[in-house]
Amino acid sequence: MAKDRLAQVLEDWEAVIGLEIHTEITSSNTKMFCGCPVGFGGEPNTRVCPVCLGLPGALPVPNEYAVEATVLAGLAIESTIARWSQFHRKNYFYPDMPKDYQISQYDLPFCDGGHLDVQVGEGDGAYETRICVTRIHLEEDTGKMVHVGGAEGRIAGATHSLVDFNRAGTPLMELVTEPDIRTPEEARRFAQKLRLIWLSLGISDCSMEEGSMRVDANVSIRRPGETELGTKAEIKNMNSFRALHDGLAHEIIRQAELVESGGHVVQETRHWDVGAKRTSSLRSKEEAHDYRYFPEPDMVPFQFSEEWIEAVRAKLPELPDAKKARFVEDLGLSGYDAAILSADISLSAFFDSAMSIGGAAKAKAIANIMLNDLAAYLNTEAISIDESRVTPAMLVELVELVDGGTISSKQAKVVFSEMAATGDSPGAIVEIKGMKQVSDTGAIEQAIDRVMTANPSEVEGYRGGKTTLLGFFVGQTMKEMRGQANPKLVNEVLLRKLG
Ligand code: ADP
Ligand code: ZN
Ligand code: MG
């Protein structure tokens, strides 16, 4: 519904979208400026100390790992890494941040510029678009407010609010894009690809549900061809890719209908209500913020040497685009299969592990089982590949059994189901179930003789030129051998005996 309406609206309007994406560096053992552990949830206010509680006189010490992770992130999207950088204090009052300022970065972020090319759509309508990144900077996360006494988690109706500082001080990267995004789908693809890159770097678990990756979207509309930007609204509280897409779609429609009915968009922050499927005003945003940024006096500035930056660059792992290209060019997978396998960290790691055990010659067969049997199994069981009993070594063994002629590919499907259910190795299953494919020519010849004796008119017909009857004989012979004959041999012997 909303999708059709969006398509309609986008005939008359161009949407302009810029994203601000906060990612907690959850792979860090400690917080940004103190030694408290990084984690999710837990008994409130148990992972705290004078620094992350903002007690007077406590001194921050920067987390080197988090700085390096941010530079790594910048290198992955081709940002320019600052040679000279520093932290600033961003001053504002809110109960989740008792210092009354957040240590963040201002005009000297660690990473400047960068871009991501995202593939949008499938099939004929597919296209690639480049989204430029403005910057990535590093800051500390705030505590969490818990509103109680009303509807769960909502300020409205709550009788009081509690604050949990476990999250306060967690290293937080903020990436800001240029207003280069034109549709909710492009926004979703960008966020998905960015998440995949961050996961490849191993810097965050990027959970949109738990809030370790939070995407805020700025959106405005203008008439196609216009170059001036319209007034934007910022949308928050989109806790999934679906929510990001739908929140943007609804907001674009709202703005268009508002302007078309004579109103105008006001600059404000809006909250996406996933249940009601609408955005609502959270607070109006003053034209200019007055955060009174000033350099953090408790920390010396950073000076990165070219050597250090290059040493970080050397730690870049293979990124998703390169992985996809390798799957196609080196392993011979189709672009479609390569795209699916490379778009998921666990799937591609599983596949690569199978390759290192079984060799590149098995790439297509392994990919085939993964994208068909395994995918269907995981889907039915609603589990992830890491939770399943199927291992890369088991798939390699299964493919070897087929390649070596021990079982047919039809039997391989049965073996797969059995091994997924039990965790037994394919070899053991074939043994226990007596599934070995018969490659004994003598047994096959006897079976074919029986079939030919039982079907004299078909033999007559075949010899008279009706060669399409071959399929009939193959089927009858396989039936005679309870499906366990090597189909290649059956074909060979049949051609010889019938010919
Ligand atoms: P603010 O001062 O409100 O934080 P910024 O200029 O820093 O705004 O931009 C924040 C984000 O909003 C960026 O991702 C940027 O690309 C995007 N943005 C800025 N102006 C617009 C606009 N008119 N429409 C849509 N997105 C915009
Ligand atoms: Zn602390
Ligand atoms: Mg800004």
Side-chain angles (χ1 to χ4, degrees):
M1 280 288 284
K3 215 167 181 178
D4 299 340
R5 180 74 187 112
L6 176 68
Q8 231 173 32
V9 165
L10 290 180
E11 283 175 15
D12 300 326
W13 295 96
E14 177 178 66
V16 175
I17 301 164
L19 301 178
E20 292 170 289
I21 303 185
H22 285 92
T23 312
E24 289 179 352
I25 302 177
T26 55
S27 60
S28 175
N29 293 324
T30 56
K31 289 186 181 179
M32 190 58 230
F33 300 112
C34 63
C36 291
V38 165
F40 175 74
E43 186 67 23
N45 298 305
T46 50
R47 294 191 301 269
V48 291
C49 76
V51 174
C52 54
L53 285 175
L55 302 188
L59 287 174
V61 178
N63 176 335
E64 273 179 54
Y65 171 81
V67 173
E68 187 178 311
T70 304
V71 169
L72 192 69
L75 291 169
I77 59 159
E78 293 177 41
S79 296
T80 303
I81 306 305
R83 299 295 303 274
W84 175 261
S85 182
Q86 72 184 137
F87 284 107
H88 272 72
R89 288 187 181 181
K90 179 180 180 180
N91 298 279
Y92 68 95
F93 170 81
Y94 204 67
D96 62 10
M97 215 194 42
K99 293 197 299 288
D100 286 346
Y101 61 83
Q102 178 189 31
I103 304 179
S104 181
Q105 295 193 288
Y106 183 47
D107 53 347
L108 294 167
F110 288 135
C111 314
D112 188 35
H115 58 85
L116 265 193
D117 295 327
V118 295
Q119 281 74 41
V120 188
E122 248 81 50
D124 287 346
Y127 63 97
E128 185 175 273
T129 181
R130 172 161 292 193
I131 313 294
C132 290
V133 168
T134 314
R135 58 189 270 153
I136 309 177
H137 71 250
L138 184 57
E139 58 190 29
E140 54 179 340
D141 207 348
T142 60
K144 236 184 211 168
M145 302 286 289
V146 186
H147 309 292
V148 287
E152 201 195 327
R154 297 298 301 273
I155 283 194
T159 54
H160 56 291
S161 298
L162 304 172
V163 61
D164 174 8
F165 288 108
N166 281 348
R167 193 181 73 177
T170 299
L172 189 65
M173 289 191 317
E174 179 176 346
L175 175 145
V176 181
T177 77
E178 291 293 301
D180 285 352
I181 299 166
R182 293 290 171 266
T183 66
E185 186 56 20
E186 288 181 11
R188 165 157 60 189
R189 298 284 179 129
F190 178 89
Q192 283 172 331
K193 185 157 185 187
L194 191 74
R195 178 174 187 270
L196 184 61
I197 292 174
W198 287 179
L199 288 173
S200 310
L201 301 181
I203 55 183
S204 177
D205 58 18
C206 295
S207 164
M208 293 186 66
E209 239 169 41
E210 291 181 353
S212 55
M213 181 169 169
R214 313 194 280 272
V215 184
D216 298 333
N218 298 271
V219 55
S220 61
I221 55 167
R222 64 183 173 192
R223 293 294 182 182
E226 247 174 62
T227 50
E228 296 263 300
L229 291 174
T231 304
K232 70 178 158 74
E234 182 180 359
I235 314 166
K236 287 186 177 291
N237 194 46
M238 296 171 295
N239 302 329
S240 65
F241 291 116
R242 177 78 200 271
L244 172 63
H245 177 278
D246 293 356
L248 276 168
H250 278 83
E251 177 61 16
I252 291 164
I253 295 168
R254 185 193 72 88
Q255 290 187 10
E257 289 177 350
L258 180 66
V259 176
E260 283 168 6
S261 63
H264 62 275
V265 177
V266 293
Q267 181 154 341
E268 62 183 353
T269 302
R270 299 180 68 87
H271 178 97
W272 169 243
D273 185 333
V274 70
K277 284 202 164 297
R278 64 188 204 96
T279 64
S280 56
S281 183
L282 204 61
R283 55 174 175 268
S284 73
K285 206 166 177 179
E286 350 42 283
E287 274 300 322
H289 311 285
D290 191 6
Y291 290 125
R292 293 192 300 118
Y293 279 98
F294 65 85
E296 166 59 61
D298 287 338
M299 265 180 284
V300 294
F302 292 79
Q303 205 173 352
F304 299 140
S305 69
E306 205 59 51
E307 295 74 52
W308 182 79
I309 295 170
E310 288 315 306
V312 177
R313 193 193 302 278
K315 293 181 187 176
L316 276 177
E318 181 181 52
L319 295 172
D321 282 348
K323 189 164 289 194
K324 185 179 158 198
R326 176 168 60 84
F327 288 173
V328 172
E329 286 153 26
D330 298 0
L331 300 175
L333 298 191
S334 69
Y336 183 81
D337 288 0
I340 299 178
L341 286 177
S342 63
D344 183 287
I345 290 290
S346 305
L347 274 187
S348 59
F350 189 104
F351 178 70
D352 269 332
S353 163
M355 287 303 92
S356 67
I357 300 167
K362 295 192 179 58
K364 276 187 184 165
I366 297 277
N368 201 24
I369 299 177
M370 284 183 70
L371 296 175
N372 293 297
D373 311 69
L374 182 57
Y377 171 75
L378 297 177
N379 195 32
T380 323
E381 299 290 312
I383 55 171
S384 71
I385 200 165
D386 308 309
E387 293 165 322
S388 93
R389 292 170 134 158
V390 179
T391 64
M394 281 156 75
L395 286 200
V396 171
E397 190 184 337
L398 185 59
V399 169
E400 274 165 357
L401 288 171
V402 176
D403 284 355
T406 309
I407 56 172
S408 66
S409 33
K410 208 167 167 190
Q411 287 174 309
K413 297 214 168 273
V414 180
V415 176
F416 178 88
S417 301
E418 188 70 15
M419 81 185 195
T422 62
D424 290 340
S425 78
I429 293 165
V430 166
E431 204 63 50
I432 294 164
K433 300 212 138 194
M435 288 179 81
K436 276 200 179 138
Q437 155 175 277
V438 178
S439 294
D440 166 1
T441 324
I444 291 173
E445 282 184 357
Q446 283 169 24
I448 289 176
D449 288 344
R450 286 197 295 276
V451 169
M452 286 172 69
T453 315
N455 301 283
S457 54
E458 277 78 7
V459 173
E460 195 77 354
Y462 181 91
R463 291 187 171 144
K466 249 186 121 184
T467 51
T468 48
L469 278 168
L470 183 66
F472 164 80
F473 286 108
V474 171
Q476 290 301 306
T477 309
M478 290 305 273
K479 202 166 154 197
E480 185 76 21
M481 299 197 64
R482 297 201 310 280
Q484 301 196 349
N486 179 331
K488 211 171 129 228
L489 275 181
V490 168
N491 260 290
E492 275 170 27
V493 176
L494 268 173
L495 285 174
R496 176 155 49 79
K497 286 199 178 258
L498 287 168

